[in-house]
Amino acid sequence: MRIEDYALIGDTQSAALVGRDGSIDWLCLPRFDSPACFAKLLGDESNGFWRLAPAGHEMATRRAYAKDTLILETVWETSTGTVKVIDFMPPRHANPTLVRIVDGVSGTVDMTTEISIRFDYGRIVPWTRRFGVRLHAIGGPDSVWIDAPLHLKGSGDRHTGTFTIAAEQRRSFVFTWHPSHEPEPCGIDPSEQLTKTSLFWEEWVSRCWLPGRCRAAMIRSLITLKALTYSPTGGIVAAPTTSLPEHLGGVRNWDYRYCWLRDAAMTLDALTESGYITEAGAWLDWLLRAIAGRPEDLQIMYGVAGERRLPEQTLDWLPGYEGSRPVRIGNGAASQLQLDVYGEVLSCFYRARKLGMPPHDYAWSTVCRLMDFLERNWAQPDAGLWEIRGPRRHFVHSKVMAWVAADRQVRAIEELGHTGPLRRWRATRDRIHAEVCDKGFDTERGTFTQSYGSRELDAALLLIPIVGFLAPEDPRVIGTIDAIERELMTDCFVLRYPISESNDIDGLPGTEGAFLACSFWLAEALYLVGRKDEATDLFERLLALTNDVGLLAEEYDPVQARHLGNFPQAFTHLHLIHTALALC
């Protein structure tokens, strides 16, 4: 299936992708970054899946989330009757659990289920036993118990079963994971858990104060961000998947099941402006724990509990989504120098205090140490926002965000009463600003460029007016927007930067789709410079790209009209919220 044919369910510690065909093709337990026990998404049926659907039917008639929840309802209309499948993961109290409830709506429907459990990303075939009505699969550290309303028959590499559901009947399946060395978990009441899960999400959404005509899209994006949050620590993963390709059949396949500092800062803004002060506070606590230590050891990303070692490796037994190899786990970009994250982090703390969050005892001393490090290192070349795997460069966006760091520290002293070397930080701020305007601007073309001395453009330059580096009416801002519209647009959507066989700036072969966050940046930038009708038109085109349950991937291919990259993508949904707050 296409990437956009999937929907997300989760328990704020892990997540699953459910296809329009009723198949769960991706599930990592017990954490987002744990090995998958269903990995068909990146392989085939031999790598693990669980399908529950009417016999002989390929795709569901329709599906939607139940109100403002993460409970997925999939409806199948057949010649003999109608059935609804309800998929959800209850908020975790003990062991992670996935529940699938089949409700008869009208007539009768013959149902079939197939389940193939494969631990360690589809590599380990578990030992399966039956204990009464319970099916038990065990392999190494992983153990799964399945409670089903029928006898599941072992056949080859999977278990299958059939049953008939009539109107007003209900049949429930429960899938529970636990460490293999622990005792058998207790069963749960699926209907009771459905009620509790619905109340959990409805209560959470009720605390949102977002107004405006875009509220429905913003609420779905906020629910998605909440679903991607690892609740024990407050960290948020960039996506629940790994290796969904940015180019079909290519090598641009990365593991996004980690927490980027950049996302952390932007999430804080989205949560606080939406009324979620508690969640924003948990984010801030996670951020402080993650960056604790020497400022030179700051990483751009961490594990969900703050882990720093994220070694990158390939899973050679998986063929990849539509042949896109290699399949990677871990992320080698964790060790890169990306100067912009210092600006994101320092801006994050400034915004938190401006929005009324109480001060942390050691937060100010922490950000001061980060600023001291940045003062000594902002003039270095780095890997940039896009985690370039080619040679380091003096990326203009990185320098702009170094300016943001200095500017927010100055404002923290001037506006919030903090103490620090105000004169020195002002001087640093002015020096960075002057250098960027001198070395990062192409006077001949009237535009800022991707890096000093280059002619390439970069969609991240759209952030210049958004972060306040230059006023929206500045001719250099207007010229940059015009240049990006001329050179980085594809079917009205924005590419990150030019990629071609002759331009190997990122050190990787192949191309990619339009980067959706960049298109949201353009919409906000257009709004700021007074082109409000064009901004609104672009924003509405972007909203139209959401799939049938309101989710967006990292990228979009306008030629094939399909989503690309890891899914759903926190970065995309973050900027949907930010742009909606500006436009709506």
Side-chain angles (χ1 to χ4, degrees), residues 261-271 344 571 574-575 578:
L261 293 187
R262 187 179 298 110
D263 293 16
M266 296 176 181
T267 300
L268 185 76
D269 279 354
L271 291 174
E344 299 288 3
F571 203 56
L574 277 169
H575 288 290
H578 279 288

Side-chain angles (χ1 to χ4, degrees), residues 371 375 378 406 424-433:
M371 186 63 213
E375 280 188 286
W378 70 266
R424 196 180 80 216
W425 287 346
R426 280 177 177 164
T428 299
R429 180 181 65 178
D430 294 345
R431 187 161 58 251
I432 297 172
H433 197 281

Side-chain angles (χ1 to χ4, degrees), residues 162 224 511:
T162 59
T224 303
T511 59

Side-chain angles (χ1 to χ4, degrees), residues 548-570:
D548 57 323
V549 291
L551 302 180
L552 289 166
E554 179 183 29
E555 300 184 1
Y556 180 73
D557 182 349
V559 176
Q560 298 190 47
R562 59 182 301 182
H563 289 214
L564 294 173
N566 285 303
F567 174 87
Q569 177 79 1

Side-chain angles (χ1 to χ4, degrees), residues 3 6-9 15-19 23-27 41 240-241 244 551 567-568:
I3 290 170
Y6 288 97
L8 176 77
I9 59 174
L17 292 188
V18 187
S23 181
I24 298 176
D25 292 345
W26 183 253
L27 175 62
L41 180 71
T241 57
L244 289 179
L551 302 180
F567 174 87

Side-chain angles (χ1 to χ4, degrees), residues 189-251:
D189 182 327
S191 295
E192 178 184 356
Q193 290 302 313
L194 176 61
T195 300
K196 289 183 176 180
T197 302
S198 180
L199 290 174
F200 169 84
W201 286 106
E202 289 173 6
E203 187 281 327
W204 189 81
V205 170
S206 71
R207 293 188 280 124
C208 175
W209 61 38
L210 286 175
R213 60 184 176 83
C214 303
R215 188 176 189 275
M218 289 191 280
I219 288 292
R220 180 49 54 191
S221 292
L222 283 167
I223 291 172
T224 303
L225 294 179
K226 176 67 172 176
L228 298 181
T229 300
Y230 185 66
S231 56
T233 65
I236 183 170
V237 296
T241 57
T242 179
S243 301
L244 289 179
E246 298 169 8
H247 173 66
L248 293 176
V251 301

